[in-house]
Amino acid sequence: MSAASPVLILAVWTGIIAVGLCLGRVLWAFLWIGARSVWRGLGPWQPGRTDQRVPLVGAGAEPAHLGYYWRQLWVDAWSAAGYGIRVVWTAFSDPWLNRIVRNLFLGRHSSGIRGRAPIHRFWYRFLLAPGTFVGALLGAVLATVLLGVSLMFFGLLVGLVWLGCATAVPVLRGVERGWALTRGIRVKCPYPGCYRPVPLAVHRCPGCRTSHGSLRPGRYGVLGHGCVCGQRLPTTRLAGRGKLTALCPHCDRVLPATVGTTRVVHAPLVGGTSSGKTMLMAAMVEGLHAWARRGDLSVEYASADDRRTFNDLNQELNSTGWAHATTGGQPRALMLTVSRGRRRRLLYLYDPMGESVSDAERVRAQQYLAHTDGVVLVADVLADLKVRGRLGAEDARRAGAARPSTQGPWETYQRLTGELNALTGRRRGRLSVATVVTKRDVLDQLVTLPVPGARVDSWLAEIGLGGLVRALGHDFKEARYWAVSAHAATGTAPLESEQRRAAEPVLWLLAASGLKTAALSGASAAEPEKRYTPA
């Protein structure tokens, strides 16, 4: 028997002890405590407990938690995996290395009781201690390898979840953007001094009234954002974002409730001072309500402020019969929601003061014209010098009592058209113009002028405004003409038939946006004016 035989026997014995200890107990114990530690590391599982891994809420520009998928998913997965591995090696260090193996090498029982007989101490030191050490080390290594392989698959699943969320963000944004473009929804601020596009409104939390400027799928969440107050806010229109209060991100004023879900039709009323714009707008609104009473439309005010504004105007007309001249700077749009069938439009009616078209610089300042979908040209023909020159003495007195505008329709058009191209980005040729001759109740009393008939464009040419008709037909995509008595459509004893007629220009412009109101605007009864082609 060689000298190496006892060493070989000891090594074989140590191996037997190590393998038996590893496969019989240590490996499974380490795997259990490692897996349990990974699960606990995903916590805390008790509500209200703080977690230093979570960043402060609202530390960035948005007062909301970062989406779990964006960062916290990886932080939790990495920290939980690291915690599980550390616990395995902590268990190997104590109790196995620092207590059990150490006691055995000191000739003690694993519990720390010293062996009574020398044979016991020899057994502990040379026959059990090496095998126990190797078995514990082998168990820790194998547990780490198996746990690491499991964590790799776990990391793959985490990556798939993150990839799904990261892919869902541009998909949801694209779907929402495509839906808005398909339906022609382009939100613009209706307030004076702003009128700027609103690609994404600011939304208020219904709980704490905090403003969220990025409430859409993104790094703060895919389907919802967690506000600083704990309220869950939807990020898409389909999920209910439209139910939240929306504000313009530029001027911080409240937008209509239907903004972002309804196509907007901008219809400015353009005319000189005292041309009858304000009374015509009141007649148009009354006319829309008259059509609604017949069941042909559904009309609602976009906000309480719009209802209050119109009620004040209506009270003024009922008490005096006239509307005071529009004053102030740029106008705030009067907003109405007009529905027919399943389609709906948000109508912006602008009533600027007459001085806004007195010169090119003032027209250029009317930034809402950049978003117009169609122009309502308010034509007070009694303000035209050529028309006034054809009046007799009695008719001239009647015309003077009607408070003619300081600017004729041809002058208004000339000052408007030069700046409209620049404001609309050279798309005037794609716009429609509804020309409304006002003060028809006075025109019908004049004996030295023909009475406006069914073809108002022919009547305008007959009284000397043919150049205006030709210019409108040449410069705009489509032009139609009406003659309306706003005085007969408003006040204490309005004529409902005249109210409905006053609403026809607006219904015609709405029909151009896809709302099925062409039949109500008289489009089927009269041939639209075609584009004028010079001879």
Side-chain angles (χ1 to χ4, degrees):
M1 189 175 192
S2 64
S5 297
V7 176
L8 180 59
I9 294 173
L10 183 60
V12 171
W13 175 257
T14 300
I16 294 173
I17 295 295
V19 171
L21 183 64
C22 173
L23 298 180
R25 178 183 177 186
V26 176
L27 174 61
W28 313 113
F30 283 169
L31 283 176
W32 166 249
I33 62 175
R36 186 179 59 178
S37 299
V38 169
W39 177 251
R40 288 181 175 178
L42 295 173
W45 298 104
Q46 295 181 3
R49 287 187 59 185
T50 59
D51 192 343
Q52 295 179 352
R53 297 171 298 178
V54 179
L56 294 176
V57 182
E62 186 75 1
H65 295 271
L66 283 172
Y68 184 75
Y69 86 96
W70 181 260
R71 172 185 177 275
Q72 200 62 39
L73 177 65
W74 292 107
V75 172
D76 287 350
W78 181 259
S79 63
Y83 179 63
I85 299 297
R86 288 195 304 273
V87 167
V88 169
W89 287 96
T90 299
F92 168 73
S93 175
D94 189 9
W96 285 96
L97 190 61
N98 290 341
R99 282 192 288 166
I100 297 175
V101 174
R102 182 173 177 272
N103 286 333
L104 291 175
F105 273 115
L106 292 175
R108 299 173 181 172
H109 189 269
S110 59
S111 61
I113 302 175
R114 182 176 176 82
R116 297 181 180 180
I119 188 63
H120 293 163
R121 292 191 291 272
F122 175 82
W123 174 264
Y124 293 151
R125 286 175 179 170
F126 299 104
L127 298 182
L128 289 183
T132 303
F133 170 74
V134 174
L137 179 61
L138 184 61
V141 171
L142 289 178
T144 301
V145 172
L146 294 176
L147 193 60
V149 172
S150 302
L151 291 174
M152 287 178 60
F153 284 102
F154 176 67
L156 179 61
L157 293 177
V158 169
L160 291 176
V161 171
W162 180 89
L163 183 62
C165 294
T167 303
V169 168
V171 169
L172 289 174
R173 286 191 184 186
V175 168
E176 194 165 58
R177 179 63 176 165
W179 176 81
L181 290 177
T182 301
R183 302 190 62 175
I185 298 174
R186 296 175 180 84
V187 182
K188 308 294 188 304
C189 180
Y191 294 102
C194 188
Y195 303 127
R196 297 169 67 180
V198 182
L200 180 64
V202 174
H203 294 85
R204 279 181 179 167
C205 172
C208 63
R209 310 299 292 171
T210 303
S211 297
H212 294 256
S214 299
L215 193 57
R216 59 179 177 176
R219 62 176 181 166
Y220 292 101
V222 179
L223 298 177
H225 286 188
C227 181
V228 291
C229 67
Q231 184 89 15
R232 193 70 176 171
L233 306 179
T235 59
T236 61
R237 298 184 183 96
L238 185 62
R241 188 181 63 190
K243 298 178 182 179
L244 303 178
T245 302
L247 298 89
C248 174
H250 309 294
C251 64
D252 203 35
R253 285 178 277 192
V254 178
L255 296 173
T258 53
V259 71
T261 59
T262 307
R263 180 173 176 176
V264 180
V265 176
H266 301 261
L269 281 70
V270 180
T273 304
S274 191
S275 61
K277 297 188 311 302
T278 304
M279 290 189 65
L280 176 61
M281 185 181 72
M284 287 176 168
V285 176
E286 291 286 8
L288 291 174
H289 285 293
W291 284 109
R293 286 192 293 271
R294 290 180 41 151
D296 297 300
L297 289 174
S298 176
V299 181
E300 297 178 358
Y301 294 100
S303 67
D305 288 339
D306 296 295
R307 182 186 298 275
R308 191 180 307 110
T309 298
F310 184 76
N311 286 341
D312 292 343
L313 174 60
N314 204 27
Q315 289 179 3
E316 181 182 344
L317 292 173
N318 290 336
S319 60
T320 65
W322 295 92
H324 293 300
T326 305
T327 59
Q330 297 180 344
R332 176 194 181 277
L334 178 66
M335 295 172 285
L336 301 168
T337 302
V338 183
S339 305
R340 181 169 170 81
R342 299 181 62 182
R343 298 188 179 184
R344 182 174 63 174
R345 294 292 183 268
L346 180 58
L347 177 63
Y348 282 21
L349 287 175
Y350 298 91
D351 176 27
M353 60 181 184
E355 291 82 354
S356 62
V357 290
S358 60
D359 57 63
E361 184 177 354
R362 289 188 174 182
V363 174
R364 200 177 303 122
Q366 309 303 308
Q367 294 298 317
Y368 57 89
L369 292 174
H371 314 305
T372 182
D373 295 282
V375 178
V376 179
L377 181 63
V378 182
D380 182 6
V381 298
L382 298 177
D384 187 79
L385 295 179
K386 290 186 292 185
V387 175
R388 294 286 292 273
R390 298 179 55 175
L391 300 179
E394 185 62 24
D395 284 347
R397 185 191 64 79
R398 291 192 181 98
R403 304 177 185 178
S405 174
T406 57
Q407 182 175 288
W410 175 245
E411 289 78 12
T412 300
Y413 172 74
Q414 284 182 312
R415 293 188 173 101
L416 169 69
T417 187
E419 300 302 323
L420 197 58
N421 270 342
L423 288 170
T424 59
R426 298 188 179 275
R427 65 182 182 94
R428 187 183 61 185
R430 299 197 298 270
L431 297 177
S432 300
V433 57
T435 303
V436 182
V437 176
T438 54
K439 306 177 182 178
R440 180 165 182 169
D441 52 317
V442 178
L443 295 174
D444 288 345
Q445 300 175 20
L446 303 181
V447 296
T448 50
L449 285 182
V451 176
R455 294 298 299 261
V456 179
D457 56 330
S458 301
W459 176 78
L460 287 171
E462 186 178 355
I463 65 174
L465 292 174
L468 175 63
V469 175
R470 290 190 293 272
L472 291 173
H474 176 269
D475 292 335
F476 287 87
K477 174 184 177 181
E478 196 173 1
R480 283 200 64 197
Y481 302 83
W482 286 265
V484 173
S485 172
H487 188 60
T490 57
T492 55
L495 298 176
E496 187 165 319
S497 60
E498 195 66 18
Q499 287 178 337
R500 293 197 300 270
R501 179 164 180 80
E504 287 184 7
V506 174
L507 295 173
W508 180 66
L509 293 177
L510 289 171
S513 72
L515 195 65
K516 296 180 179 180
T517 53
L520 305 182
S521 66
S524 59
E527 180 73 17
E529 299 304 313
K530 305 298 183 182
R531 179 185 292 276
Y532 170 73
T533 304

Coordinates of all heavy atoms in Angstrom, one line a residue, residues 25 146 201 213 247 274 310 314 331 357-358 403 411 431 435 442 447 456 485 506:
R25 N -29.2 17.9 0.5 CA -29.8 18.9 1.4 C -29.4 20.3 0.9 O -30.3 21.2 0.6 CB -29.3 18.8 2.8 CG -29.8 19.9 3.7 CD -29.3 19.7 5.1 NE -29.7 20.8 6.0 CZ -29.3 21.0 7.2 NH1 -28.4 20.1 7.8 NH2 -29.7 22.0 7.9
L146 N -28.0 27.4 -11.4 CA -29.4 27.1 -11.7 C -30.3 28.3 -11.5 O -31.1 28.6 -12.4 CB -29.9 25.9 -10.8 CG -29.2 24.6 -11.1 CD1 -29.7 23.6 -10.1 CD2 -29.5 24.1 -12.5
A201 N -53.5 68.7 -25.7 CA -54.0 69.7 -24.7 C -53.4 69.3 -23.3 O -53.0 68.2 -23.1 CB -55.6 69.6 -24.6
G213 N -49.3 67.8 -18.9 CA -49.1 68.3 -20.2 C -48.7 67.2 -21.2 O -48.6 67.4 -22.4
L247 N -57.1 72.0 -21.3 CA -56.6 73.4 -21.4 C -55.7 73.6 -22.5 O -55.0 72.7 -22.9 CB -56.0 73.9 -20.1 CG -56.8 73.9 -18.8 CD1 -56.7 72.5 -18.1 CD2 -56.3 75.0 -17.8
S274 N -70.4 98.3 -38.5 CA -71.9 98.5 -38.7 C -72.4 97.8 -39.9 O -73.5 98.2 -40.4 CB -72.2 100.0 -38.8 OG -73.6 100.2 -38.7
F310 N -74.0 84.2 -25.6 CA -75.1 84.4 -26.5 C -76.4 84.9 -25.8 O -77.1 85.7 -26.3 CB -75.4 83.1 -27.2 CG -76.5 83.2 -28.2 CD1 -76.2 83.8 -29.4 CD2 -77.8 82.8 -28.0 CE1 -77.2 84.0 -30.4 CE2 -78.8 83.0 -28.9 CZ -78.5 83.5 -30.1
N314 N -78.5 88.1 -26.8 CA -79.9 88.0 -27.1 C -80.8 88.9 -26.2 O -81.7 89.5 -26.7 CB -80.4 86.5 -26.8 CG -81.6 86.2 -27.6 OD1 -81.9 86.7 -28.7 ND2 -82.4 85.2 -27.1
P331 N -61.2 88.6 -31.5 CA -62.4 88.1 -30.9 C -62.2 86.7 -30.3 O -61.3 85.9 -30.7 CB -63.4 88.0 -32.1 CG -62.4 87.7 -33.3 CD -61.2 88.5 -33.0
V357 N -60.6 94.9 -40.4 CA -60.4 94.8 -41.8 C -60.2 96.2 -42.5 O -60.4 96.4 -43.7 CB -61.5 94.0 -42.6 CG1 -61.4 92.6 -42.2 CG2 -62.9 94.6 -42.2
S358 N -59.9 97.2 -41.7 CA -59.8 98.6 -42.2 C -58.4 98.8 -42.9 O -58.3 99.7 -43.8 CB -59.9 99.6 -41.1 OG -58.9 99.4 -40.1
R403 N -78.1 102.8 -40.7 CA -76.7 102.8 -40.2 C -75.7 102.0 -41.1 O -75.2 101.0 -40.8 CB -76.6 102.2 -38.8 CG -77.6 102.8 -37.8 CD -77.5 102.1 -36.5 NE -78.4 102.7 -35.5 CZ -78.6 102.2 -34.3 NH1 -77.9 101.2 -33.9 NH2 -79.5 102.8 -33.5
E411 N -64.4 97.1 -50.8 CA -63.2 97.5 -50.0 C -62.9 96.5 -49.0 O -61.7 96.2 -48.8 CB -63.5 98.9 -49.4 CG -63.5 100.1 -50.3 CD -64.8 100.2 -51.1 OE1 -65.8 99.5 -50.6 OE2 -64.9 101.0 -52.0
L431 N -60.7 77.3 -50.3 CA -61.7 77.7 -49.3 C -63.0 78.1 -50.0 O -63.0 78.4 -51.2 CB -61.2 78.9 -48.5 CG -60.0 78.7 -47.6 CD1 -59.6 80.0 -47.0 CD2 -60.2 77.6 -46.6
T435 N -71.3 84.6 -49.1 CA -71.5 86.1 -49.1 C -72.9 86.3 -48.7 O -73.9 85.8 -49.3 CB -71.2 86.7 -50.5 OG1 -69.9 86.3 -50.9 CG2 -71.4 88.2 -50.5
V442 N -84.5 96.5 -45.1 CA -84.4 97.8 -45.6 C -84.3 97.8 -47.1 O -85.0 98.6 -47.8 CB -83.1 98.5 -45.0 CG1 -83.0 99.9 -45.6 CG2 -83.2 98.6 -43.5
V447 N -87.2 101.7 -53.5 CA -87.9 101.7 -54.8 C -87.0 102.0 -55.9 O -87.3 101.7 -57.1 CB -89.1 102.7 -54.8 CG1 -90.1 102.4 -53.7 CG2 -88.5 104.2 -54.5
V456 N -78.9 86.0 -55.8 CA -78.4 87.2 -55.2 C -77.1 87.6 -55.9 O -76.8 88.8 -56.0 CB -78.1 86.9 -53.7 CG1 -77.5 88.2 -53.0 CG2 -79.3 86.5 -53.0
S485 N -82.3 89.2 -43.5 CA -82.7 90.3 -42.6 C -82.4 89.8 -41.2 O -83.3 89.0 -40.6 CB -84.1 90.7 -42.8 OG -84.5 91.6 -41.7
V506 N -74.0 79.1 -42.8 CA -73.2 78.2 -41.9 C -73.4 76.8 -42.2 O -72.5 76.0 -42.2 CB -73.6 78.5 -40.4 CG1 -72.9 77.6 -39.5 CG2 -73.2 80.0 -40.1

